[in-house]
Amino acid sequence: MSKLALITGASSGIGWAFAERLSADGYDLVIVGRRQERLEQFADSHPKTTVRTVVADLSTTEGIDAVAEICATEPVTMLVNNAGVAHYMPFAELPADKATELVNVKVLAPTMLSRAAIPGMQERGEGTIINVSGMIAFGGPAPHSQMPRRVVYGGSLAYLVAMSQTLSAELKGTGITVQVVCPGVVATEFHERQGMDLSMMPRMSAADVVTASLRGLELGETVCAPGVEDGGVLDAVFQADLAAFGAQSPELASRYR
């Protein structure tokens, strides 16, 4: 039986790179994006791969429902929740429709697509879910000078980390693997669409992000940080999280009395 991967945000960048790699690895593909011509371009350039193109806007209920239906009814081996949008601007100036779009694409869509795919994966006893987040997920404590204009975006990426870690633990022993991949700045069209010119900044390639993600799966990493050399740094973060979680008490802390 052929392996089937469904990739959102596949019309460019990391999603396109995932599609390239998984095609080479023998997967059949369902590629999802907003730009039909880009999806068709990919399909036409990979005639030896079975490619289904799905035009869907994951900022809308209709788009999420349409893709969730595919996840629920077809034997998806790997789900890559990659679609993204950022809308960098001060929180007070962020229009409600843009805030809604961001939350729908980076929070609601990965949640609902994963929810739709998991029952079938459980029945088949195997499956992989990859959520594409970013190192900004760990930037909450940073001062404004380092992390301006990214309140909702940063929060959505942090959600993907917590969701993936918790879901991974919940699904242990089912044959389903969950990973969240957290790249830094990547050389894609993503920042250009935000009106940002990062062409002079050193950036990782989308292909390297995919390489790290797939190797991270082999290593058993739930959180994959492609640009972090010392994996112990992440372990320290997670141990600190657990220490804070475990330090709670029903008694009011003395500093608040």
Side-chain angles (χ1 to χ4, degrees), residues 46 99 147 191 209:
H46 295 78
M147 287 284 292
H191 291 94
V209 174

Side-chain angles (χ1 to χ4, degrees), residues 3-101:
K3 300 176 291 184
L4 177 64
L6 187 149
I7 306 163
T8 69
S11 57
S12 65
I14 295 172
W16 184 287
F18 263 110
E20 288 270 13
R21 184 68 58 85
L22 296 177
S23 171
D25 288 347
Y27 281 78
D28 294 338
L29 302 176
V30 179
I31 54 174
V32 180
R34 301 186 193 190
R35 292 175 287 181
Q36 183 173 1
E37 72 283 356
R38 286 288 191 91
L39 299 177
E40 292 177 350
Q41 178 187 346
F42 182 93
D44 291 343
S45 63
H46 295 78
K48 295 183 179 180
T49 300
T50 300
V51 182
R52 175 180 174 184
T53 63
V54 177
V55 178
D57 183 351
L58 295 181
S59 71
T60 67
T61 300
E62 294 78 13
I64 293 173
D65 288 348
V67 181
E69 178 69 14
I70 298 171
C71 292
T73 59
E74 301 195 17
V76 175
T77 310
M78 178 179 291
L79 169 63
V80 182
N81 287 309
N82 167 73
V85 64
H87 297 319
Y88 296 153
M89 64 185 70
F91 184 64
E93 299 174 14
L94 181 66
D97 61 338
K98 291 186 181 297
T100 300
E101 179 185 18

Side-chain angles (χ1 to χ4, degrees), residues 113-251:
L113 300 191
S114 298
R115 176 182 176 275
I118 285 171
M121 290 180 175
Q122 287 178 316
E123 288 183 8
R124 295 185 294 274
E126 65 173 347
T128 301
I129 296 172
I130 299 173
N131 295 313
V132 179
S133 178
M135 289 306 293
I136 288 175
F138 303 100
H144 175 71
S145 59
Q146 291 181 252
M147 287 284 292
R149 305 180 294 123
R150 302 176 189 181
V151 172
V152 181
Y153 182 60
S156 70
L157 297 190
Y159 169 81
L160 287 173
V161 173
M163 170 197 172
S164 300
Q165 290 175 306
T166 308
L167 185 57
S168 176
E170 181 176 308
L171 294 174
K172 185 175 181 180
T174 66
I176 302 172
T177 300
V178 181
Q179 180 196 75
V180 59
V181 58
C182 300
V185 182
V186 183
T188 69
E189 301 171 9
F190 183 77
H191 291 94
E192 295 173 14
R193 294 200 297 270
Q194 310 300 318
M196 302 170 67
D197 181 6
L198 300 183
S199 58
M200 301 303 292
M201 177 181 290
R203 296 175 291 170
M204 182 174 288
S205 71
D208 278 351
V209 174
V210 174
T211 295
S213 174
L214 298 182
R215 176 60 178 147
L217 290 174
E218 295 175 354
L219 294 172
E221 293 182 348
T222 299
V223 180
C224 168
V228 176
E229 180 63 32
D230 181 3
V233 172
L234 291 175
D235 292 337
V237 171
F238 304 143
Q239 289 303 314
D241 286 344
L242 289 174
F245 181 70
Q248 59 188 319
S249 164
E251 298 294 330

